[in-house]
Amino acid sequence: MDDGPREEGDPPAPPATRIVAHLDMDAFYAAVEERRDPELRGRPVVIGADPKEGRGRGVVATASYAARKYGIRSATPISRAWRLAEAARRRGEPATVFLRGNHALYRDVSGRIMTLIAERADAFEEASIDEAYLDLSSLADFERAEAHVRSVKGLVLEREGLTCSVGIAPNKLVAKIASDFEKPDGLTVVRPGEVQGFLDPLSIRVVPGIGPKTEALLRARGVATVADLRAVERPRLVEWFGKWGGDAYERARGVSQSPVSNEWERKSVGEQETFEQDTLDRTFVHGRAVALAEGVFRRMQADGFAGFRTVTVTVRFTNFVTRNRSSSTGAVARTLEALRDTALALLEPFFDARENPRGRMIRLIGVRVEKLERGSVPDGAPADPDASGATSLRPPLPGG
Ligand code: DCP
Ligand code: MG
């Protein structure tokens, strides 16, 4: 905080405090399934690839809190999830329900929730299918922001039957960490003067950008908590991590200027598929890529976008090495043909020495469109009538 010199009798400085909320749905896919089928409620539920009695491939998308007690979480290999569930069952604990998931349903529910909360913020940013940032600065104080968020949580529960956890803080970074602090159905408020006290005792893992590898590196150097991280001088962090070290220095202090961007569009739409068997069969891979491109294109349109500027394909080889290739155009592309042809062209080098010198088999491919352009969908396909209005500036908050 920089308090510049002030003359006696100056009017008080305008309120510089931002109030940002981060909302994250609880066990999102699993919660939607539990709402749909009350028999599942409270049971261990895993959404993800087909476990095939332990021989399945692919990973867990999400696990209900009951399944997390068995050690099953997002990105756990589905074969391991199966073994953990079996072990629990043999201990006499409840059997786990494995579901493939209904992604169209999750997107619908997500869209309705996003619309609901977007209308109740000065600015709104959709961060993923189940999380969003809300700028609530016009409410001017944290008590009112907290009351407002309680009413938003109540509305989401009433309309969709789902709980979420919310963090309220002076910026996006701290709000995101706070939303994860108490789950499920949590509400954590961190006022400007409380930021450091809140962050200091937490594990460095809560800091966005610190994954398992960085964590191991830092722990090896005796850095386990945010307070430890804050004690490391900036030049040392830069020496360890390069430019990212500077970011880590700021994050350890809960500093972030990033605005809640007032565009509510997701930055990309993508899908991927793990094959039943690793393969280098070009015809087969092309067929799956075309199917993925069709799915991505439909979803992009259903979400109210008319076109894209960037196409990215992902290839994961047998040994789990994963590569992306992208292609961007100056003009917006608006057709399925453009998406399909670009995706197939991007995949080509993976079949020969250019991107696959050892001729490794392919385990997974993905297709994604980015730099999306919002706009009406051709062919008179139904477009969400609320979608265009949602990008405009919102009126001030009620009572704000
Ligand atoms: N998801 C996924 N693959 C991952 C992580 C998440 O497919 N590796 C999907 C499934 C989740 C949803 O995205 O339900 C939201 O992700 P979160 O990380 O917010 O996880 P949850 O909402 O499931 O749980 P939590 O209560 O911890 O937020
Ligand atoms: Mg979530």
Side-chain angles (χ1 to χ4, degrees):
M1 280 285 163
D2 179 13
D3 286 324
R6 286 188 56 201
E7 300 280 333
E8 284 272 315
D10 267 359
T17 310
R18 287 200 297 150
I19 306 179
V20 176
H22 179 259
L23 180 152
D24 187 313
M25 301 303 297
D26 300 322
F28 182 52
Y29 294 0
V32 171
E33 295 296 341
E34 290 186 25
R35 184 198 55 176
R36 194 163 68 133
D37 179 359
E39 298 237 315
L40 297 175
R41 221 157 274 172
R43 292 185 60 186
V45 176
V46 171
I47 319 289
D50 185 347
K52 299 200 167 155
E53 313 215 311
R55 288 171 291 105
R57 294 154 61 95
V59 295
V60 171
T62 198
S64 69
Y65 284 75
R68 289 181 202 191
K69 290 206 186 103
Y70 300 166
I72 303 172
R73 354 204 90 84
S74 294
T76 301
I78 200 73
S79 51
R80 181 171 154 74
W82 175 268
R83 288 197 300 276
L84 289 165
E86 280 299 289
R89 195 178 53 80
R90 282 195 297 269
R91 291 194 302 269
E93 301 194 48
T96 304
V97 180
F98 284 85
L99 300 171
R100 300 302 308 276
N102 180 346
H103 294 264
L105 172 64
Y106 310 148
R107 282 194 299 274
D108 281 355
V109 175
S110 167
R112 287 199 301 270
I113 293 170
M114 295 297 169
T115 305
L116 203 66
I117 58 186
E119 288 166 353
R120 289 165 176 83
D122 303 327
F124 168 80
E125 181 178 338
E126 182 177 344
S128 80
I129 191 165
D130 87 323
E131 57 181 316
Y133 293 97
L134 287 76
D135 194 316
L136 303 176
S137 303
S138 71
L139 290 177
D141 78 63
F142 277 72
E143 280 65 42
R144 283 166 76 194
E146 183 176 343
H148 180 73
V149 162
R150 274 192 205 290
S151 82
V152 169
K153 275 166 64 82
L155 201 61
V156 172
L157 183 61
E158 179 195 314
R159 299 269 178 89
E160 296 295 336
L162 297 172
T163 62
C164 57
S165 298
V166 185
I168 305 177
N171 61 51
K172 285 166 71 174
L173 169 72
V174 180
K176 165 120 178 134
I177 295 170
S179 72
D180 218 33
F181 185 73
E182 195 199 334
K183 255 185 173 291
D185 202 16
L187 175 51
T188 302
V189 183
V190 183
R191 288 167 187 76
E194 302 166 348
V195 168
Q196 208 63 64
F198 169 71
L199 294 178
D200 272 352
L202 302 179
S203 156
I204 45 174
R205 263 313 278 284
V206 306
V207 177
I210 300 188
K213 284 184 196 151
T214 309
E215 181 190 21
L217 231 142
L218 283 166
R219 279 185 179 269
R221 289 163 170 156
V223 178
T225 65
V226 176
D228 297 338
L229 183 61
R230 195 155 60 91
V232 184
E233 286 166 2
R234 187 196 281 266
R236 174 124 310 182
L237 287 171
V238 173
E239 180 191 318
W240 291 347
F241 299 111
K243 187 176 165 318
W244 190 81
D247 296 343
Y249 183 86
E250 305 272 298
R251 288 180 197 186
R253 284 153 183 77
V255 172
S256 146
Q257 312 296 349
S258 158
V260 176
S261 133
N262 212 2
E263 311 163 1
W264 84 319
E265 44 256 55
R266 194 173 7 249
K267 303 289 184 285
S268 70
V269 173
E271 287 180 8
Q272 49 187 41
E273 177 177 328
T274 303
F275 300 140
E276 291 300 319
Q277 278 180 352
D278 298 346
T279 180
L280 252 189
D281 180 336
R282 181 192 262 104
T283 312
F284 172 78
V285 174
H286 277 189
R288 299 317 305 152
V290 167
L292 286 172
E294 284 167 357
V296 165
F297 194 76
R298 263 200 310 275
R299 243 178 77 196
M300 180 194 82
Q301 291 196 327
D303 289 352
F305 297 103
F308 53 89
R309 279 175 213 270
T310 301
V311 176
T312 301
V313 301
T314 302
V315 168
R316 180 170 299 149
F317 294 108
T318 277
N319 59 350
F320 278 83
V321 167
T322 306
R323 299 245 179 277
N324 289 305
R325 292 189 74 228
S326 291
S327 160
S328 295
T329 51
V332 177
R334 294 196 174 80
T335 63
L336 171 59
E337 289 66 38
L339 170 57
R340 196 185 54 202
D341 294 350
T342 309
L344 293 182
L346 286 168
L347 280 173
E348 212 37 44
F350 292 107
F351 292 100
D352 59 42
R354 284 172 290 170
E355 292 283 345
N356 192 2
R358 290 170 191 259
R360 289 206 207 280
M361 301 280 232
I362 295 173
R363 174 183 175 87
L364 165 152
I365 61 167
V367 173
R368 191 164 76 234
V369 288
E370 293 162 51
K371 305 226 175 93
L372 304 181
E373 187 189 67
R374 195 166 271 289
S376 61
V377 176
D379 302 328
D384 180 357
D386 295 333
S388 55
T391 57
S392 61
L393 274 171
R394 270 157 268 280
L397 292 165

